[in-house]
């Protein structure tokens, strides 16, 4: 008996699905839900669908997926709601931005039925209601933004539209998951002005970059010249220091050599025949001096007896002997003074 009823119920269900009308159906969207089945006592509800049952014209219960039983004649399946995510194309519409630019904009709406009871009895046509709400919300949100911000803040614009739709659709048992703007069309003149603005901005950035490059090049050249001058001055300073150190060293070497030569000459003069050697040296220097006369200047001073070399040597030796006697006398006086001081000190101690 039960097997016969199940077979009859299945046949009637298939026939009803072929002939019964559908809810929430638009040919352009091709979104189908199950048709209204007939009450065959034994019913099989597909997954992700909710069947709203009325008993004697009043809401009775919602059939869950799987096997369900109904009372013939008293129970009637009034609505069939799909619990899957539904995609609705929002038709293109015109909107005016904050800076009075007319835009043509369309979008896609993603929603889902959370409460089949509210979706069935809360609104007459849920699809039409949600679509109209999305269009009005879109126009309202676009009126708060300028044209530039519409392109930059599409994500925030979508989020605001979803929030506004969910505030109104809670009473309908529908939840808007997300809203996406597909296309934004601007008037041709506005598009041309935007293109000109983009080109002007690119030229501006190119000019700025070129000027910055020129400035950096000038700065680099100036820094190079500065470093070159600093290095040149440091090199010149080091050169002068080295030259001064070399000259000082040369002076010291010359002084040491001259002192050594004077010391050797003094030792030689104290030896035997020292005066003869000194006379010979003076005669040589006298002849050498006369050989250099009139080479560097036209004005010269000559002594009256230039040919008397022996007299010149005798005169030089006389001066030398006088200076030597003077130094010996001074040395003797110093020795006498020191001896007297020693005697005085010894007498004072006694």
């Amino acid at each position: 008996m039960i097997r016969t009823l199940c077979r009859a119920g299945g046949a009637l269900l298939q026939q009803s699905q072929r002939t019964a009308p559908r809810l929430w159906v638009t040919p352009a969207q091709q979104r189908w839900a199950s048709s209204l089945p007939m009450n065959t006592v034994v019913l099989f509800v597909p997954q992700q669908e909710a069947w709203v049952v009325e008993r004697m014209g009043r809401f009775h219960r919602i059939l869950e997926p799987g096997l369900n039983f109904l009372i013939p004649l008293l129970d009637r399946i009034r609505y069939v709601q799909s619990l899957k995510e539904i995609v609705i194309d929002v038709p293109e519409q015109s909107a005016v931005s904050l800076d009075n630019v007319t835009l043509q904009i369309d979008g896609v709406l993603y929603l889902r039925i959370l409460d089949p009871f509210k979706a069935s009895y809360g609104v007459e046509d849920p699809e039409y209601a949600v679509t109209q709400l999305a269009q009005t919300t879109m126009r309202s949100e676009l009126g708060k933004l300028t044209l530039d911000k519409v392109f930059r803040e599409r994500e925030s614009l979508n989020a605001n539209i979803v929030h506004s739709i969910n505030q109104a659709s809670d009473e309908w048992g529908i939840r808007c998951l997300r809203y996406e703007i597909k296309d934004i069309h601007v008037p041709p003149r506005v598009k041309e002005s935007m293109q000109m603005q983009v080109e002007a901005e690119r030229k501006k950035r190119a000019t700025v970059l070129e000027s910055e490059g020129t400035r950096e090049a000038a700065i680099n050249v100036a820094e190079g010249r500065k470093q070159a001058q600093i290095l040149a001055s440091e090199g010149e300073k080091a050169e002068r220091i080295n030259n001064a150190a070399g000259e000082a060293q040369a002076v010291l070497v010359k002084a040491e050599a001259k002192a050594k030569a004077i010391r050797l000459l003094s030792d030689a003069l104290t030896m035997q025949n020292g005066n003869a050697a000194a006379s010979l040296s003076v005669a040589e220097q006298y002849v050498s001096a006369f050989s250099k006369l009139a080479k560097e200047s036209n004005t010269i001073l000559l002594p009256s007896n230039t040919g008397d070399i022996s007299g010149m040597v005798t005169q030089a030796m006389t001066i030398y002997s006088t200076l030597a006697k003077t130094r010996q006398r001074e040395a003797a006086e110093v020795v006498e003074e020191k001896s007297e001081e020693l005697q005085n000190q010894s007498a004072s101690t006694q």
Side-chain angles (χ1 to χ4, degrees), residues 3-274:
R3 183 179 298 176
T4 304
L5 290 174
C6 291
R7 290 178 179 176
L12 291 173
L13 177 60
Q14 293 177 359
Q15 183 179 2
S16 63
Q17 289 179 350
R18 289 194 299 267
T19 58
R22 303 174 185 271
L23 293 181
W24 281 39
V25 175
T26 56
Q29 297 167 348
Q30 295 182 356
R31 179 174 51 81
W32 304 97
S34 298
S35 60
L36 291 178
M38 294 180 63
N39 185 356
T40 58
V41 182
V42 180
L43 299 174
F44 298 94
V45 179
Q47 186 67 33
Q48 289 299 99
E49 286 191 3
W51 293 4
V52 180
V53 178
E54 292 181 353
R55 176 168 291 179
M56 294 182 294
R58 295 186 61 184
F59 171 75
H60 176 56
R61 68 190 179 98
I62 298 175
L63 301 182
E64 296 181 355
L67 179 61
N68 294 275
F69 297 94
L70 295 179
I71 300 175
L73 301 178
L74 297 181
D75 294 338
R76 177 190 176 192
I77 300 174
R78 185 68 179 83
Y79 298 100
V80 175
Q81 305 290 357
S82 176
L83 303 181
K84 300 177 182 179
E85 186 173 344
I86 303 169
V87 182
I88 302 176
D89 285 331
V90 179
E92 186 177 4
Q93 62 175 337
S94 62
V96 180
S97 63
L98 185 62
D99 50 355
N100 297 325
V101 178
T102 303
L103 304 174
Q104 297 293 329
I105 187 168
D106 58 358
V108 181
L109 186 64
Y110 300 85
L111 53 87
R112 176 178 292 170
I113 296 176
L114 301 180
D115 191 344
F117 175 79
K118 291 182 178 180
S120 300
Y121 298 100
V123 63
E124 180 67 25
D125 190 349
E127 178 181 350
Y128 179 76
V130 172
T131 303
Q132 294 299 315
L133 181 60
Q135 288 181 338
T136 55
T137 305
M138 186 191 304
R139 284 194 294 266
S140 176
E141 293 295 331
L142 286 176
K144 300 176 183 178
L145 301 175
T146 60
L147 180 60
D148 295 335
K149 290 186 178 180
V150 169
F151 291 100
R152 290 198 303 264
E153 301 181 4
R154 295 182 66 169
E155 294 184 2
S156 62
L157 181 61
N158 295 335
N160 293 335
I161 293 174
V162 171
H163 179 69
S164 301
I165 292 175
N166 287 331
Q167 285 182 342
S169 62
D170 286 340
E171 298 296 330
W172 303 339
I174 301 173
R175 183 70 177 177
C176 181
L177 302 179
R178 58 190 177 275
Y179 179 86
E180 297 292 338
I181 296 176
K182 289 199 302 184
D183 296 319
I184 300 177
H185 302 284
V186 297
R189 293 185 178 179
V190 177
K191 190 174 182 179
E192 292 177 0
S193 63
M194 292 174 62
Q195 187 67 26
M196 294 174 62
Q197 182 180 0
V198 171
E199 292 178 358
E201 187 68 23
R202 289 178 180 174
K203 291 181 180 179
K204 175 184 175 182
R205 281 184 288 181
T207 304
V208 171
L209 291 176
E210 184 178 0
S211 63
E212 289 180 354
T214 304
R215 184 186 66 178
E216 291 293 334
I219 292 174
N220 291 335
V221 171
E223 287 290 336
R225 292 177 179 175
K226 177 182 176 182
Q227 293 296 330
Q229 292 179 356
I230 291 174
L231 293 176
S233 63
E234 290 180 354
E236 185 178 359
K237 176 182 177 181
E239 183 180 2
R240 291 182 179 179
I241 292 174
N242 292 333
N243 292 335
E247 292 177 359
Q249 190 70 21
V251 170
L252 291 176
V253 171
K254 290 180 179 179
E256 290 178 356
K258 189 174 182 179
K260 186 176 181 180
I262 293 173
R263 191 178 305 111
L264 293 175
L265 181 61
S266 176
D267 293 340
L269 291 175
T270 56
M271 295 175 65
Q272 187 178 4
N273 298 324

